[in-house]
Structure formats: structure tokens, C-alpha cells
Amino acid sequence: MKQKVVIKVTMNGQKSRSKALTIVVGAFGVESVALKGDDKSQIEVTGDGFDPTVLTQLLRKKVGHADLVSYGEKRDEKKENEAELQRISSPTVTKNQTMKQKVVIKVTMNGQKFRPKALKIVVGASGVESAEWKGDNIEVIGESLDPTCLTLLLRKKLGYAELVSVEEKKEEKKEEKKGDVVTAMPACTCYASLPYVTSEYHFQQSQKNQTMKQKVVIKVTINSQKSRPKVMKIVVGTSGVESVAWKGDDKNQIEVIGDGLDPAVLTLLLRKKEHLRKER
């Protein structure tokens, strides 16, 4: 498969640009390399079999700060892709206009028991809003993500991890699907160490393998953004969890999907952990 990756590199002049290009062309599998962008700060690499994570890390070490802007299969529609790439990787994006990204990483593990550990590693990273297993891949969505660090961290902690794709996450219009959804428990409001907690719980039957998928939505009031990764780590450590994501306009609802979930245990666990944190 032909690959195309765009890496934004902080370079101080023509000398740095030449050095960066020399490093890239020396990598295995690279077929072409070009400077892109108005300020020539982006390197577009095309080839087959090269590792974008290692390439980005090498540029950080040898040249300067480097960010993986986009990565995926090289297509034939050049004009459409160049227009889309320019829009995604435009250097005019400010701090208040952060781009939401979708990163897909393939992870090879020795057993199913390592899946919760992989999710814990991912949700602990800065900017992560959701993480979900899709086959052997982990799909991560968030703002200001560093796909290079995520991939290297998974390699270090679990074993082999391969970056599959990096792209802009487009807002999707959600349409409620009418299906066999049964309310197993009514929404309940609880008051404890958390100021306000609401949990909604229902079953949704999968037509493929006739298994009962569950979705739990827990509304949590947290004191700071630093608490978000902690909450996600608590949730993904629970048995049966397959995906976790922050929802709502103010990101104060955590949506958990899996098989064999216990909404009461999840809610009580979050309440207990928050209570211990406050006592300390």
C-alpha cells in the first residue's frame, strides 16, 4: 500500500530544511519527499513500508519539534487531496481553534486481558476525548493529540503498535436509529460526594451475534480538566468496557459501551474515587 504522510517541522532556515530532507530520504521505503506550505515547514513523504512514528521521532531528535499532521493511504485524486490537506494542516490554526483529530493505531497483544490496559494508556494522554476498540485497532478522538507519542507509548507498554491513520475528525450529524431498544432501568439521580450524578442505562441487541450490548451514560461534575483522564482510567478498568467517550456540550457526561456492565457499580466507583481524592 502506498503511504503518504505530512509532518510539520520547526526549521530555522534552508540549512535545517536540507538536513530534514536528508534524514527523511534515508528512511527505508521512502520514494519521494517534498517541502509543502507557504513557509515550507511541512514535509510530505510518499512511499511504501516506512514507519511515520519513527520518522517523526527522528526529526524531533535531529532537527526540532515535529508534529504528525496527517497519515494515510496515497490516493489518485490529487487536487481533492491537496485542497483537503491544505485545509487540515493550515498553519493559521490558533490555540482557540484547535483541530479535532481521529487517530487509529493497530495494537498486537498476547491476550484479551491486555485490552483494558491499552485503553488506560490511551485515555491517560492529553486531549483524549474518546477511545474505542474496533477489531485490533484503537480509535482515539480528541484535540491536540500527539499520535507519535501515543504509538510509542503503546509499543513500550504492550508490544507492537502501528499507526494506521491520522485525520481530521469531522462533525457528524447524529440520527437516532429506531431498533430493539429496551429500557432496563429508569434514569436515576444520586447525591453523594459528587455534586450531581445521573446515570442512564439501556440494552441494545446486536443483530450480528445476538449479544446484548449495553450503554451507560453517567453525568459527572468535575473540578478541573485534569480530572477527566482520571475518570476515564477508572471506567476503562471496569470489566466488559469496550469504549468510553466524553459527551455533551460541556463534556460532563461519560458514555460507556460494553457487555456485562453494571451501571450501579460504575457510578459508585466514580463516587468513591472522587470522595477519596477530596479527602486527601
Side-chain angles (χ1 to χ4, degrees):
M1 181 187 74
K2 287 280 186 179
Q3 302 163 279
K4 183 171 77 173
V5 60
V6 177
I7 305 172
K8 185 177 175 65
V9 187
T10 301
M11 296 176 284
N12 298 323
Q14 187 57 44
K15 188 176 180 180
S16 295
R17 293 190 185 99
S18 299
K19 183 178 180 180
L21 291 174
T22 303
I23 292 169
V24 172
V25 296
F28 174 81
V30 172
E31 295 178 2
S32 69
V33 59
L35 291 169
K36 298 288 183 178
D38 295 335
D39 54 355
K40 303 296 182 184
S41 63
Q42 298 176 14
I43 300 177
E44 181 182 287
V45 188
T46 304
D48 188 5
F50 64 87
D51 190 328
T53 303
V54 172
L55 204 55
T56 307
Q57 187 185 31
L58 195 60
L59 286 169
R60 286 180 181 176
K61 184 178 179 181
K62 299 289 186 179
V63 181
H65 183 72
D67 285 321
L68 191 57
V69 176
S70 67
Y71 171 61
E73 183 178 359
K74 180 174 173 56
R75 301 175 183 175
D76 294 331
E77 301 85 10
K78 294 182 179 180
K79 292 183 179 179
E80 293 181 5
N81 285 341
E82 286 176 0
E84 180 70 5
L85 185 60
Q86 186 65 27
R87 184 178 66 83
I88 293 173
S89 59
S90 173
T92 59
V93 176
T94 63
K95 290 183 179 180
N96 295 327
Q97 297 173 322
T98 52
M99 180 186 72
K100 186 166 286 190
Q101 297 169 290
K102 182 172 76 173
V103 178
V104 180
I105 304 172
K106 183 177 181 180
V107 185
T108 302
M109 296 176 295
N110 295 325
Q112 294 294 319
K113 64 180 181 179
F114 290 102
R115 285 180 172 258
K117 183 178 179 180
L119 284 176
K120 274 188 177 183
I121 293 169
V122 170
V123 299
S126 176
V128 173
E129 293 181 6
S130 72
E132 179 180 3
W133 277 106
K134 291 192 174 181
D136 292 331
N137 299 337
I138 297 181
E139 182 181 284
V140 188
I141 296 173
E143 295 180 353
S144 304
L145 299 177
D146 190 332
T148 301
C149 283
L150 275 174
T151 308
L152 290 174
L153 195 58
L154 286 168
R155 284 180 186 175
K156 182 179 179 181
K157 299 290 185 180
L158 295 175
Y160 181 74
E162 178 186 355
L163 189 61
V164 176
S165 66
V166 180
E167 60 185 38
E168 181 184 13
K169 172 63 178 174
K170 298 177 181 178
E171 294 297 330
E172 299 176 354
K173 293 182 180 179
K174 295 183 180 179
E175 296 181 0
E176 294 185 359
K177 296 181 180 179
K178 295 182 179 179
D180 298 330
V181 179
V182 180
T183 302
M185 288 176 55
C188 57
T189 304
C190 311
Y191 295 89
S193 58
L194 291 176
Y196 181 69
V197 176
T198 302
S199 86
E200 299 173 358
Y201 176 51
H202 62 80
F203 288 113
Q204 185 169 0
Q205 187 172 12
S206 172
Q207 295 180 353
K208 290 184 178 179
N209 50 15
Q210 299 298 313
T211 57
M212 298 296 288
K213 288 285 184 181
Q214 302 158 274
K215 181 171 76 173
V216 180
V217 180
I218 305 173
K219 184 175 181 181
V220 186
T221 302
I222 55 177
N223 298 324
S224 66
Q225 294 294 324
K226 292 181 180 179
S227 300
R228 291 182 185 274
K230 183 178 180 181
V231 171
M232 295 185 84
K233 281 186 177 182
I234 293 169
V235 172
V236 297
T238 308
S239 176
V241 173
E242 294 179 6
S243 73
V244 57
W246 284 104
K247 299 289 183 179
D249 294 334
D250 50 358
K251 304 296 182 186
N252 64 345
Q253 298 177 13
I254 191 162
E255 180 185 281
V256 189
I257 297 174
D259 189 6
L261 302 176
D262 188 328
V265 170
L266 272 173
T267 307
L268 290 171
L269 189 60
L270 285 170
R271 206 181 303 155
K272 180 182 178 181
K273 295 290 184 179
E274 184 70 10
H275 179 65
L276 290 173
R277 188 184 67 80
K278 285 184 177 182
E279 283 185 348
R280 289 176 186 174

Coordinates of all heavy atoms in Angstrom, one line a residue, residues 180-182 203-214:
D180 N -34.5 -2.3 18.3 CA -35.0 -3.0 19.5 C -34.2 -2.6 20.7 O -33.2 -3.2 21.1 CB -34.8 -4.6 19.3 CG -35.6 -5.1 18.2 OD1 -36.6 -4.5 17.9 OD2 -35.1 -6.1 17.6
V181 N -34.6 -1.4 21.3 CA -34.0 -0.9 22.5 C -35.0 -1.0 23.6 O -36.1 -0.5 23.5 CB -33.6 0.6 22.2 CG1 -33.0 1.1 23.5 CG2 -32.7 0.7 21.1
V182 N -34.5 -1.6 24.7 CA -35.4 -1.8 25.8 C -34.8 -1.1 27.0 O -33.6 -1.2 27.3 CB -35.5 -3.4 26.2 CG1 -36.4 -3.6 27.4 CG2 -36.0 -4.1 25.0
F203 N -30.3 -1.5 27.2 CA -29.7 -2.6 26.4 C -30.0 -2.3 24.9 O -31.0 -1.7 24.6 CB -30.4 -3.9 26.7 CG -30.1 -4.5 28.0 CD1 -31.0 -4.6 29.0 CD2 -28.8 -5.0 28.3 CE1 -30.7 -5.2 30.2 CE2 -28.4 -5.5 29.5 CZ -29.4 -5.6 30.5
Q204 N -29.0 -2.7 24.1 CA -29.2 -2.6 22.7 C -28.7 -3.9 22.1 O -27.5 -4.2 22.2 CB -28.5 -1.4 22.0 CG -28.8 -1.3 20.5 CD -28.3 0.0 20.0 OE1 -27.7 0.8 20.7 NE2 -28.5 0.3 18.7
Q205 N -29.6 -4.7 21.5 CA -29.2 -6.0 21.0 C -28.5 -5.9 19.7 O -28.9 -5.2 18.7 CB -30.5 -6.9 20.8 CG -30.1 -8.3 20.5 CD -31.4 -9.2 20.5 OE1 -32.5 -8.7 20.6 NE2 -31.1 -10.5 20.5
S206 N -27.4 -6.6 19.6 CA -26.6 -6.7 18.3 C -27.2 -7.8 17.4 O -27.4 -8.9 17.9 CB -25.1 -7.0 18.6 OG -24.4 -7.3 17.4
Q207 N -27.5 -7.5 16.2 CA -28.2 -8.4 15.3 C -27.2 -9.4 14.7 O -27.6 -10.5 14.3 CB -28.8 -7.7 14.2 CG -30.0 -6.8 14.6 CD -30.7 -6.1 13.5 OE1 -30.2 -6.1 12.4 NE2 -31.8 -5.4 13.8
K208 N -25.9 -9.1 14.7 CA -24.9 -10.0 14.1 C -24.7 -11.2 15.0 O -24.8 -12.4 14.5 CB -23.5 -9.3 13.9 CG -23.6 -8.2 12.9 CD -22.2 -7.6 12.7 CE -22.3 -6.5 11.6 NZ -21.0 -5.9 11.3
N209 N -24.4 -11.1 16.2 CA -24.1 -12.2 17.1 C -25.1 -12.4 18.2 O -24.9 -13.2 19.1 CB -22.7 -12.1 17.6 CG -22.4 -10.8 18.3 OD1 -23.3 -10.0 18.6 ND2 -21.1 -10.5 18.5
Q210 N -26.2 -11.6 18.2 CA -27.2 -11.7 19.2 C -26.8 -11.5 20.6 O -27.3 -12.0 21.5 CB -27.9 -13.1 19.1 CG -28.6 -13.3 17.7 CD -29.7 -12.3 17.4 OE1 -30.5 -12.0 18.2 NE2 -29.6 -11.7 16.2
T211 N -25.7 -10.7 20.8 CA -25.2 -10.4 22.1 C -25.9 -9.1 22.6 O -26.2 -8.2 21.7 CB -23.7 -10.2 22.1 OG1 -23.3 -9.2 21.2 CG2 -23.0 -11.5 21.8
M212 N -26.0 -8.9 23.9 CA -26.6 -7.7 24.4 C -25.6 -6.6 24.7 O -24.8 -6.8 25.7 CB -27.4 -8.1 25.7 CG -28.5 -9.0 25.4 SD -29.8 -8.4 24.3 CE -30.6 -7.2 25.4
K213 N -25.5 -5.6 23.9 CA -24.6 -4.5 24.1 C -25.3 -3.5 25.0 O -26.5 -3.3 24.9 CB -24.3 -3.8 22.8 CG -23.4 -4.6 21.9 CD -21.9 -4.5 22.4 CE -21.0 -5.3 21.4 NZ -19.6 -5.3 21.8
Q214 N -24.5 -3.0 26.0 CA -25.1 -2.1 26.9 C -24.4 -0.7 26.8 O -23.3 -0.6 26.4 CB -24.8 -2.6 28.4 CG -25.4 -3.9 28.6 CD -24.7 -4.6 29.8 OE1 -23.7 -5.2 29.6 NE2 -25.3 -4.4 31.0

